Amino acid sequence: MRETGFSEGLPITTVTLDSVPGSDALATACRDAYHLLLASLGESLTHYGVTSEDVSGLSMLLLGALEGAMVLARAHQSLTPCELILPLFPDCTSRA
């Protein structure tokens, strides 16, 4: 993000905010992309020992935190929001 002057990044979020629900095709593509990200996070959390009953919610929380931090990073033209939340992630996965 820093290398592009905070003009790039968040491709799924940008398309989602600009195009959904106006386009069914884009809504489906964004939903599918987020599903893949959540599945990947879920696999990682399972690897770290997070219980199956907690994986879905924790995956959603982590993805929301990352996406939100990146939106804030663009707004502030600073990586500080990302830098502030990333150290919290190991705490989330070690709670299993």
Side-chain angles (χ1 to χ4, degrees):
M1 291 182 87
R2 188 179 291 142
E3 288 87 27
T4 64
F6 296 89
S7 65
E8 293 184 21
L10 300 167
I12 303 166
T13 299
T14 301
V15 171
T16 301
L17 292 172
D18 288 345
S19 304
V20 175
S23 166
D24 290 338
L26 286 175
T28 298
C30 291
R31 196 171 30 252
D32 290 348
Y34 280 125
H35 177 75
L36 287 173
L37 288 171
L38 289 166
S40 179
L41 280 169
E43 289 175 19
S44 295
L45 290 170
T46 299
H47 174 76
Y48 281 103
V50 174
T51 64
S52 59
E53 61 191 27
D54 291 338
V55 165
S56 292
L58 191 52
S59 296
M60 189 73 67
L61 176 66
L62 294 175
L63 181 58
L66 283 170
E67 292 285 322
M70 289 191 291
V71 168
L72 291 170
R74 282 183 84 172
H76 292 281
Q77 300 287 287
S78 167
L79 292 177
T80 299
C82 297
E83 293 164 348
L84 287 172
I85 69 159
L86 289 178
L88 301 175
F89 279 46
D91 294 337
C92 290
T93 57
S94 66
R95 71 184 192 96

